[in-house]
Amino acid sequence: MAACVRGTHPIPPPTCSFGFKRQVGGPGAEGATLNLPLAAGARWVGSYGEAIGEAVRAVRAFGARGLVVSLGVDTLRGDPVCVPGAGFQLELGDYLALGAALRGLELPTVFVQEGGYDLERCGAAVANTLRGFCDPVAAGAAAEVGVAAKVTGEPQEALPSAAGDV
């Protein structure tokens, strides 16, 4: 199964021909692909987090035995190389919640970084994702931040980790 949370590409087909919601898998594999395109400016609260939740539920229902995460941290607010007109607005703290959501699948997992060009902050985004995935204390704190973010609208930039800095 492939699940993809991505930006709505500003270039219409045929130039960009993948990642559309209607693409659900080929003959004999219908339902094996889930594309969740989001509008430019998507934030964790209100769209991105919900899409990740939908993807996690789909992977669980599919019965996956392992997970490969293609982690594009060009979703970070202000990334200088995001596709014009399609960039997201994730904050550093949101990546803790992302890692925690993936941790909830309890699957053997491989992470591959495939995007992220804000060289001052992409390392922190990757580290926060791994911290949320590996550290149950950070994962629990990320869940608390998610609740706080819904109330205040502002996710936290960083959380303490029982395992120390990654």
Side-chain angles (χ1 to χ4, degrees):
M1 147 152 242
C4 180
V5 178
R6 55 176 294 119
T8 302
H9 206 290
I11 302 170
T15 305
C16 179
S17 60
F18 60 90
F20 295 98
K21 185 105 176 148
R22 69 179 181 272
Q23 295 170 319
V24 296
E30 292 86 1
T33 299
L34 175 64
N35 286 307
L36 299 166
L38 301 177
R43 296 178 180 276
W44 182 264
V45 175
S47 60
Y48 198 92
E50 285 79 4
I52 292 296
E54 184 177 343
V56 164
R57 288 187 297 277
V59 168
R60 186 174 287 125
F62 183 79
R65 296 182 305 205
L67 184 66
V68 176
V69 177
S70 182
L71 181 63
V73 296
D74 49 356
T75 52
L76 187 59
R77 178 182 48 81
D79 186 272
V81 187
C82 70
V83 174
F88 292 149
Q89 300 294 314
L90 298 188
E91 303 292 341
L92 289 173
D94 296 335
Y95 293 92
L96 288 161
L98 172 61
L102 298 173
R103 175 187 175 82
L105 284 167
E106 299 180 338
L107 292 173
T109 302
V110 173
F111 286 88
V112 178
Q113 185 185 353
E114 57 90 5
Y117 308 95
D118 179 343
L119 300 182
E120 297 294 321
R121 298 184 314 142
C122 78
V126 171
N128 277 357
T129 303
L130 296 174
R131 184 176 293 134
F133 184 81
C134 295
D135 183 348
V137 173
E144 292 174 21
V145 168
V147 171
K150 289 180 182 177
V151 174
T152 66
E154 293 300 322
Q156 302 295 313
E157 285 294 306
L159 296 171
S161 169
D165 290 317
V166 175

